[in-house]
Amino acid sequence: MKRVAALVGRTALSCWHHGSPHLPSLPAWAPRPPYTCPQIRHLAAKQNKGQFKGQKINSKPVKLEKQQKQEVEIKQRMTVSELAKAMNKDIDHIYEALLNTDVDLDELEPDTLLDEKWIKEAVKRSGMKHKWAKLAETKVRENKDIQKQPPPDPSQLVPRAPVVTIMGHVDHGKTTLLDSLRKSQIAAQEAGGITQHIGAFRVQLPSGEKITFLDTPGHAAFSAMRARGAMVTDIVILVVAADDGVMNQTIESIQHAKKAKVPIIVAVNKCDKPQADPKRVKEELVGHDVICEEFGGEIQAIHVSALKGDNLLELAEATVTLAEVLELKCDPTGLVEGTVIESRTDKGKGPVTTAVIQRGTLRKGCTLVAGKCWAKVRFMFDEYNQTMNEAGPSIPVEIVGWKDLPSAGEEILEVESEQRAREVVEWRSYMEEQDKLKDDQQAIEAKQKQHQESYKKDRESMAHLSWRQRRAALYRANKHKLSHRVSEKTEMEELTLPIIVKGDVDGSVEAILNILESYDADDQCQLDVVHFGVGDISERDINLAETFSGTIYGFNVAANKSVQQMAAKKGIPLRLHRVIYKLIDELKDDLSSKLPPTSEENIIGEASVLATFDVTVGKKKIPVAGCRVQKGQLDKKMKFRLIRGRNILWEGSVTTLKHLKDDVLSVKTGMECGLSLDNEELEYKPGDEIICYSESEIKQKISWDPGF
């Protein structure tokens, strides 16, 4: 209508200025007619019929050219950004086109996949038409992965040393036992007497037999590392303290050994202590299906004292005997196979892994693949940091030459060349990406389905309402989704603790992250792991912490002087620890410090109203309550509350407190007093209660319990 009105106005104005062939010309001073609508209609009629003098009448009607709609090439499963690009529009145009549809625009991101229905709807609403894009023939990508070799010919097998894992509860003497076996001082070097990661080394007995030992952590945080130790071992030595008995990590170690189907030898340690009771320990083990020989089972139980070295040789001989029964053999030829026991970043060596070789012989120059990482072996070291030229089956070795740091527990396989290694890593990365896309797609489809059902349900519930009522109901329902005010945003941001975790080895970081996964106090304060990695604290970590206003937690790592100065200058907290439970304790303290304090109410005194009367002060009449203190005392400096029945009528302070005719600051139990409150409109009644109380702030503690 506005466009029609504008068109009529322009036509009338044109006639007014230029005159009309049917109207006499008027002088300049003459008044103009108010409007010329009859004239416009008259001219339009003549023009349409072609009746003006000298005008030729066209015999052929004029054909209006039909406007061609823009074609958009579409395909199935297009993202919002892909559709916008195909339509030559920006992403906001797609959002506008899908307004007032079943699509939840709040959940719509540029990389969100759209259903075919909504792709067509967006194109149609944009005044365009769609056409299906030609399907390009996608070649099936060839599987470039590498697999383990088939089992070797039994005739090629040769005997090998057993791989033995020491397991048990924390502080039951596992590392001291190994320390006595190889006459070293590992236990003295450990932080707080706790093994923080897996140690792998060989021990040669006086008889000439060699045993490869893996020492696993006993702390509750290192469950995954114990499991990894059990999966690559031949025999498990379960260390149980004779004075302490079966504990949580003892039970967990038994479960890991049974899951890996590995035979167990029980070492009852600390038998030299006066309160030691080895028999009780073995009886407790029966309850966990570990039956020793003296109770009719097949499991050997050796009484030892790791500190004094008692019966250690007997334990080693029992291990060798069991290994002979198992007839452990290997194939020292062919391509290398092994397992990453631990991985770390060394300043001079770069990415380093501790591995146990299970097949073949590792030499310098070998090309290895582990997970999505590969290596050209440059150097090999034993547990004493001595250079090795080769490492056969059952031998632990430190490998230097990795391009990236593989995760602990990854399988190591040898390949023919560097090119082949790159192909394997590229294929594995591609497959991981495809799996992630598939998982993301399933999550998106589930979310869309949930939204569709919710939308349909909401529409059905509002079908009987008018559009105005429906709009008001939708606004009320979605009011909580509106953006928060600035003050609310600031409050929410304060209840988040962003952290950066750095550890000395991959397994330590894994253990910390496993603990953080158990965090269940998001309703109090959110815990956000911004970044984690292996190695010392770097300037990049400081910059990242500054960006997210986070805290850096380091485990068995260092920060040089320049990094510490940079952190202090930028106000970034550095929490460096060598014992894992101390790190977690400080993390809990930091989380608790984010919580707002709660107020605690302490009742100081209680009084009952006996009578009420008015006191004239100047021209005002002030109501006064005559009371008797029933409990505690009334202190004029504290807060007061007036209660009638179960209802609180007022909270505030006392303006006047008198005993007899004297103003007093406090009234004790059994005394009578008169008081007036800071609300003169209140009416007291006999039987009302007056409570005197104080409020104090108490710091909250996070409810998260990591289990230790």
Side-chain angles (χ1 to χ4, degrees), residues 7 128 157 242 245 309 379 381 494 560 575 584 594 635 663 694 698:
L7 180 60
M128 305 176 186
L157 299 179
F379 300 103
F381 299 94
E494 288 177 354
N560 59 42
R575 317 289 196 209
I584 299 300
K594 288 279 183 179
D635 191 333
D663 287 327
S694 65
I698 298 176

Side-chain angles (χ1 to χ4, degrees), residues 134-350:
K134 292 182 179 179
L135 294 174
E137 293 184 5
T138 55
K139 293 182 180 178
V140 178
R141 195 161 178 175
E142 184 183 352
N143 189 338
K144 296 285 186 179
D145 204 358
I146 184 174
Q147 303 297 331
K148 293 179 72 171
Q149 304 170 72
D153 185 356
S155 61
Q156 296 179 346
L157 299 179
V158 296
R160 65 173 176 85
V163 178
V164 179
T165 299
I166 308 290
M167 300 177 108
H169 193 73
V170 63
D171 199 30
H172 275 202
K174 302 183 299 297
T175 308
T176 309
L177 176 62
L178 289 167
D179 180 36
S180 299
L181 282 169
R182 66 173 186 168
K183 305 298 180 185
S184 63
Q185 293 298 320
I186 298 172
Q189 298 170 8
E190 290 177 0
I194 300 173
T195 302
Q196 307 288 359
H197 45 76
I198 294 175
F201 46 83
R202 303 186 84 193
V203 172
Q204 185 167 358
L205 304 180
S207 60
E209 299 285 347
K210 292 180 180 179
I211 303 174
T212 297
F213 282 103
L214 302 181
D215 180 20
T216 64
H219 199 271
F222 297 94
S223 174
M225 297 175 73
R226 279 194 297 281
R228 191 157 56 244
M231 296 305 289
V232 297
T233 191
D234 303 311
I235 300 169
V236 166
I237 293 181
L238 184 66
V239 179
V240 190
D243 61 336
D244 208 1
V246 175
M247 304 296 284
N248 292 338
Q249 277 71 62
T250 314
I251 299 168
E252 194 180 293
S253 299
I254 294 169
Q255 292 171 349
H256 288 318
K258 287 183 177 179
K259 187 177 179 181
K261 298 180 180 178
V262 177
I264 296 174
I265 295 175
V266 176
V268 184
N269 194 21
K270 302 184 181 181
C271 289
D272 56 315
K273 286 193 172 184
Q275 62 268 36
D277 189 356
K279 186 177 180 181
R280 178 178 64 87
V281 170
K282 287 182 276 189
E283 287 173 352
E284 289 178 358
L285 288 171
V286 172
H288 300 284
D289 203 22
V290 177
I291 304 170
C292 300
E293 289 177 336
E294 62 183 88
F295 294 111
E298 298 179 353
I299 296 174
Q300 301 178 78
I302 314 297
H303 298 184
V304 299
S305 171
L307 195 62
K308 293 186 176 180
D310 297 342
N311 286 344
L312 293 187
L313 188 59
E314 186 180 345
L315 177 63
E317 289 174 353
T319 305
V320 172
T321 303
L322 182 56
E324 289 175 355
V325 172
L326 295 174
E327 295 184 353
L328 302 172
K329 294 185 177 181
C330 66
D331 176 17
T333 62
L335 298 177
V336 173
E337 294 178 7
T339 302
V340 177
I341 299 298
E342 197 49 86
S343 58
R344 61 187 172 86
T345 300
D346 190 277
K347 285 184 179 179
K349 301 174 183 176

Side-chain angles (χ1 to χ4, degrees), residues 637-655:
K637 297 178 182 178
M638 298 301 169
K639 293 183 178 181
F640 285 78
R641 179 181 296 133
L642 179 64
I643 299 175
R644 182 172 298 159
R646 294 185 178 181
N647 299 321
I648 298 174
L649 301 184
W650 165 89
E651 286 182 341
S653 57
V654 168
T655 55

